[in-house]
Every structure is written in C-alpha cells, then in structure tokens.
Amino acid sequence: MAFEDYQNEDERIQEKFKQKTWNEVRTNDSWAIFKIMSEFVNGYETMARIGPCVSIFGSARTKPDHKYYQLAERIAYKISKAGYGVITGGGPGIMEAGNKGAHHGGGTSVGLNIELPFEQHFNPYIDKDKNLNFDYFFVRKVMFVKYSQGFVVMPGGFGTLDELFEALTLIQTKKIGKFPIILVGSEFWSGLLEWIKTVIIEKYHNANPEDMKLIQVVDNEDEVVEALDAFYKKYNLSPNF
C-alpha cells in the first residue's frame, strides 16, 4: 500500500469520528435510504427477468494460469451445458472464470459487481443485459441468495468466506431453501471444515453435527454437476435458465 493510501485511510477514520450535528446525520442517512432502495429495485427487476441461477464464489486474485481458475471455468461450462445459469460477482479471478465458462457454454452469464477501491472490475464475459453494479455489499448478497439455485464455492479470501457463511446461515435458519452448498478443492477447505467440526461443534457446541451435512466437498467439475443434478432429481425440479 502506498503512503498516499495510508493518508487517505487515516482521513477516512478521522472523518468517522468528527462531531456531526443530528441534522447532518439524519439528512445523510435519509438520502442513503433512497440509494439503497434503488439498488434493491433495480436488482429485483433485473434478476426476476433472468430467473434463478447457480452462484459461483471465489477469489478475485486467482490468475488465469492457476488450476482453480481453469477448474472454475470448466465447472461453469459444464453447469451451463446442464441447463443452469451462472451468477458471479462480476469481477476478475474466479468470477471471470465462472462467467467465461458460462459464456462459452452458451448459458446465462450474470455479474453482480461491487464498487471497490482495488481488485474489482467487470470482466468481459457477462451477458450485456445481465451486468449489475452495487455500492452496498448487503444488497448484492441479497441478490445472490434470493436468485441462487445452488452455491459453488471455490478457494477464496474473506469475501468468499463471507458469502459462504451467509448462505450457510440462511439455510441453517431456514430463511431460504436447502439448496446445495458445494465446496470445490478438498485440499483448500479441509482445514476449515476440521476446525468447524472439532472446535465449533464438538468442543463448544455452537452448531449441530447435522449442520455439516449442508456442505458437500468435491474436486472436479463432474462432481459439481452430479451434486446439482442429484438435488434437483430428489425434489423433482429442473434448472431454470
């Protein structure tokens, strides 16, 4: 991070602690509500026309020559060939791979982008009329979970973990349907899953052993499609394109 960035960050922190009048706070918050509403309305109207898809989460930092980028591209290709649309965060890395695979597979390719100071920018493989932009993470996450038929989670960082645990929490608490959560890459996810099992569940009893059944771990594109197809066959459903 450059020195100028540290200065900007210091200014942002100081700005948060500046004394403001109640009228200033109320006015700023009230106008923010309209921006939030506009993002929800635009998101709902656009996604309702597209219909449910499969969300692919993963790191924006993964390069095209990395095995997980290439695996994500193959997964998205196979998913689209099986009749599922694909939603990603719309940016580079794993997100780009997901949209690229869906694009080459002739399927629906949706991007839900977020304004960030680094890393994030639209990738070129999103369908022209299926490209949404958000300022607010929480609005964007609502679009992911509301219009997802399943969640394919590739290796990633804090953002990927946030999206994973958001989906897990909503399914665990029955706020959304029990759609499949598929973690790709057992070498990447095994440590986290072992910690959840031994620490969260067995040592502290902060979750139920049954909750582990909400997660499937796979290592290739065929297993992803098999997991999705098994879910829809079980409930006599079919993919919505």
Side-chain angles (χ1 to χ4, degrees):
M1 184 181 288
F3 177 71
E4 294 80 8
D5 293 327
Y6 280 112
Q7 283 187 312
N8 292 336
E9 187 62 30
D10 287 345
E11 290 170 5
R12 290 180 65 189
I13 293 172
Q14 290 165 1
E15 180 66 23
K16 291 291 184 182
F17 285 91
K18 280 183 180 178
Q19 190 68 34
K20 296 182 181 178
T21 66
W22 168 243
N23 282 336
E24 286 178 311
V25 173
R26 183 177 60 186
T27 299
N28 290 340
D29 289 351
S30 296
W31 281 109
I33 290 172
F34 291 103
K35 172 62 176 172
I36 294 166
M37 287 173 59
S38 71
E39 290 199 359
F40 271 118
V41 170
N42 183 51
Y44 283 151
E45 289 186 346
T46 303
M47 294 304 298
R49 290 194 297 270
I50 296 169
C53 299
V54 172
S55 288
I56 297 180
F57 301 135
S59 176
R61 305 186 188 198
T62 307
K63 303 301 181 186
D65 61 351
H66 195 281
K67 66 177 182 179
Y68 283 128
Y69 181 105
Q70 295 165 6
L71 178 55
E73 184 179 346
R74 295 197 303 271
I75 287 169
Y77 180 85
K78 282 226 165 188
I79 284 176
S80 58
K81 285 295 186 183
Y84 302 94
V86 170
I87 304 174
T88 80
I94 294 295
M95 295 174 281
E96 178 182 282
N99 289 125
K100 186 178 180 181
H103 175 76
H104 290 316
T108 298
S109 181
V110 184
L112 307 182
N113 204 4
I114 185 78
E115 293 284 351
L116 294 176
F118 55 92
E119 290 181 354
Q120 189 79 357
H121 55 78
F122 281 122
N123 69 66
Y125 302 103
I126 303 166
D127 296 343
K128 189 176 295 186
D129 59 340
K130 298 175 178 64
N131 198 350
L132 287 85
N133 203 42
F134 298 90
D135 284 326
Y136 297 96
F137 268 110
F138 65 91
V139 180
R140 179 179 181 242
K141 286 200 291 184
V142 168
M143 301 306 147
F144 271 122
V145 298
K146 182 174 176 59
Y147 294 98
S148 288
Q149 297 176 308
F151 304 93
V152 175
V153 191
M154 303 293 298
F158 293 152
T160 301
L161 293 175
D162 178 42
E163 290 157 341
L164 165 62
F165 284 107
E166 176 85 7
L168 274 172
T169 300
L170 291 172
I171 291 173
Q172 179 202 44
T173 56
K174 297 181 170 46
K175 294 297 183 181
I176 63 173
K178 195 177 177 181
F179 295 110
I181 296 177
I182 305 164
L183 306 187
V184 181
S186 55
E187 64 174 5
F188 181 88
W189 295 108
S190 60
L192 175 64
L193 295 177
E194 181 65 17
W195 177 77
I196 292 172
K197 179 176 178 290
T198 58
V199 178
I200 291 182
I201 295 176
E202 294 177 358
K203 184 174 181 179
Y204 289 99
H205 310 292
N206 289 333
N208 295 322
E210 289 293 308
D211 293 333
M212 294 297 290
K213 295 180 180 179
L214 299 175
I215 303 168
Q216 301 176 67
V217 184
V218 304
D219 284 301
N220 61 60
E221 61 271 29
D222 292 328
E223 291 176 309
V224 172
V225 176
E226 286 170 11
L228 290 169
D229 286 345
F231 172 82
Y232 284 94
K233 184 178 180 180
K234 177 180 178 181
Y235 292 101
N236 197 27
L237 300 171
S238 60
N240 284 309
F241 223 127

